[in-house]
Amino acid sequence: MRLSHSQVLDAPIEHVWANFMDLEVVGRCFPGATVTEVEGDDFVGNIRSRLGPLTVWFDGAGSLTERLTDTHRARIEATGHERHGLGKATIAVAVVLSQAEGHTEERPATRARMTTDLHFYGSALEVGRGLVQRASDPLVERFLHRMASPDAATAPGEDDGDAVDLWRSATDLLGSFTGRRRRRS
């Protein structure tokens, strides 16, 4: 499944790029994630997601597999296994940073484009691309704003309770479809 996100951040491109190159900062900024070990471009960690009343933990490892400083392009790939189950997930995130329109010396702005290839195997919730895109939007928005924060490199990680509740996002989306159908009838 491929997801795409684009966000304008109120931060200089050099600052956002430096944060993306620090895997510990990436782990601190991603809601529900913890990076426990970094060695060069490789990392080990875990991520927590909520599916309604269920909490799903994935333990895994990954690498910064591409780093093109002159064009501000990077790629991170990871694989994880469900801690208490048979689920497996693979993810590849490509990030491209560019100067945002309206960028000035006094008001720097960076456009961050993320393309995510995500695959779940044995997931507790089988959902379509549209639903996953909608559920991921607030998660990625929080992540990118944290990456642009002036204190992203030194701030402690956010509480794991900040992980996105995929079940609530799914039921909100389904409720909006049901409401539209009722209005059409």
Side-chain angles (χ1 to χ4, degrees):
M1 170 176 327
R2 178 166 278 193
L3 306 171
S4 297
H5 296 88
S6 181
Q7 186 81 34
V8 174
L9 307 170
D10 293 329
I13 195 168
E14 296 80 14
H15 171 75
V16 179
W17 179 252
N19 285 341
F20 269 106
M21 295 300 98
D22 187 329
L23 294 171
E24 289 179 355
V25 172
V26 172
R28 262 197 306 278
C29 290
F30 198 86
T34 303
V35 171
T36 57
E37 184 180 328
V38 174
E39 188 174 314
D41 287 341
D42 300 323
F43 65 92
V44 175
N46 58 64
I47 189 163
R48 177 185 121 166
S49 294
R50 291 186 314 237
L51 298 170
L54 302 174
T55 299
V56 180
W57 285 90
F58 281 86
D59 295 315
S63 297
L64 178 63
T65 59
E66 180 180 15
R67 177 191 327 218
L68 301 172
T69 304
D70 56 333
T71 57
H72 297 104
R73 295 175 186 266
R75 183 175 179 86
I76 296 174
E77 297 179 10
T79 301
H81 296 276
E82 193 175 353
R83 189 177 287 176
H84 302 288
L86 301 175
K88 179 182 175 184
T90 61
I91 188 169
V93 178
V95 177
V96 179
L97 303 177
S98 60
Q99 299 290 344
E101 275 189 45
H103 163 81
T104 65
E105 271 301 305
E106 298 80 36
R107 186 163 182 201
T110 301
R111 173 161 301 279
R113 289 184 175 86
M114 285 180 53
T115 303
T116 305
D117 290 311
L118 178 63
H119 300 280
F120 285 109
Y121 306 97
S123 179
L125 179 64
E126 295 295 328
V127 294
R129 181 190 179 280
L131 185 57
V132 173
Q133 178 75 46
R134 166 102 180 235
S136 69
D137 286 346
L139 175 81
V140 172
E141 183 177 338
R142 282 196 309 265
F143 168 64
L144 289 173
H145 282 289
R146 289 177 185 166
M147 292 296 286
S149 170
D151 62 346
T154 58
E158 298 272 336
D159 179 76
D160 282 336
D162 195 33
V164 113
D165 186 335
L166 297 174
W167 182 255
R168 185 173 57 212
S169 296
T171 56
D172 289 349
L173 179 62
L174 293 174
S176 70
F177 288 144
T178 304
R180 284 188 211 143
R181 283 192 195 137
R182 287 186 194 141
R183 281 184 242 136
R184 289 184 189 162
S185 300

